[in-house]
Amino acid sequence: MTASEILTDTLIDGRYRVERELGHGSMGRVLLVADTFAGNVPFALKLLEHRRLQTRFFAEFALLRKVAHPGFVRAHVLGMEPDGRRPYAILELCQGLPLSVTVPEGPEDHLRIAADLLRAIDHLHRLGYAHSDLAPANILRHGDGFEAVKVLDLGAAGRIGSGGGSTSGVLAFQAPERLEGSPLTEASDLWSIGAVLFGLVHQQHPWPGYPGRRPGDGLPVREGLTPHTFDPLLDRLLSPDGTARYPSAAAALAHLEQLTGDRLPVV
């Protein structure tokens, strides 16, 4: 069966009934399925459609299993279609909308999203990995009232210190040093978080036109913008010099706690 032939009510591996498509990415598509062996419990099924990416697909699943954190999607089962042509992954179903298509309503939403994102990435960094593709499309707001955040797509993730000489992910949210081919670091992820959060609170990229327009040594462009409580945090996250950013996501979270007066534990 080809990708275009996956229809509603199709059974994958004789077990998972397709309800509808949830999304389509570089590796393949994500489907809403019902597990007919377990009372039609709903899951997300990620189906690989490009065999050249099989190693990366397996690595992403293994990392999701290793991460095991509420800020990331839970990975349940890795399987293979009976003909051996396409592997699939059964993942936690998280209904919601990415930051790229939803506008949080106010300061409480901003704080919740920022804190949850920093907690998730701090956990990933403590395991020795960088995400390398933090962008609004990869941050999902889900749950009743969109009160929770999930970080999506670990396909570009890698060991901290690896990845030199190449750039992956959404370029508009890649740190300047990553655009030059520097290795993956905690600091490069923190810059990406800064760019995401700047857009969250100011509704524009910190440097409109980036990466065509580079930050140089200056602060983000704030002409015509209303000052926000997060601005000191954003300025440090977005420093062009990686060594001037926070030493960790946990340190950024601690500064956010100071700025807002809210108690924001790492876990």
Short mmCIF file of all heavy atoms in Angstrom, two decimals, residues 111 170 186 188 216 257:
data_model
loop_
_atom_site.label_atom_id
_atom_site.label_comp_id
_atom_site.label_asym_id
_atom_site.label_seq_id
_atom_site.Cartn_x
_atom_site.Cartn_y
_atom_site.Cartn_z
N LEU A 111 3.65 32.48 30.77
CA LEU A 111 4.49 31.92 31.83
C LEU A 111 4.45 30.41 31.83
O LEU A 111 5.50 29.75 31.95
CB LEU A 111 4.03 32.47 33.19
CG LEU A 111 4.81 31.97 34.41
CD1 LEU A 111 6.28 32.32 34.30
CD2 LEU A 111 4.20 32.55 35.69
N VAL A 170 14.44 24.34 11.43
CA VAL A 170 13.87 25.57 10.85
C VAL A 170 14.89 26.69 11.01
O VAL A 170 15.20 27.11 12.13
CB VAL A 170 12.55 25.93 11.54
CG1 VAL A 170 11.96 27.20 10.93
CG2 VAL A 170 11.55 24.78 11.44
N GLU A 186 23.94 23.22 24.46
CA GLU A 186 22.82 23.71 25.25
C GLU A 186 22.50 25.15 24.86
O GLU A 186 21.33 25.54 24.75
CB GLU A 186 23.14 23.66 26.75
CG GLU A 186 23.38 22.26 27.30
CD GLU A 186 24.86 21.95 27.41
OE1 GLU A 186 25.63 22.37 26.51
OE2 GLU A 186 25.25 21.27 28.39
N SER A 188 22.84 26.72 22.05
CA SER A 188 22.13 26.90 20.78
C SER A 188 20.64 26.61 20.94
O SER A 188 19.79 27.30 20.35
CB SER A 188 22.75 26.04 19.67
OG SER A 188 22.77 24.67 20.02
N GLY A 216 23.98 40.41 14.70
CA GLY A 216 25.20 41.14 14.99
C GLY A 216 25.45 41.16 16.49
O GLY A 216 25.31 40.16 17.17
N GLU A 257 11.69 32.88 37.30
CA GLU A 257 11.04 32.89 38.62
C GLU A 257 11.27 34.23 39.32
O GLU A 257 10.34 34.81 39.91
CB GLU A 257 11.59 31.74 39.46
CG GLU A 257 10.94 31.57 40.81
CD GLU A 257 11.47 30.35 41.54
OE1 GLU A 257 12.63 30.42 42.02
OE2 GLU A 257 10.76 29.35 41.62
#
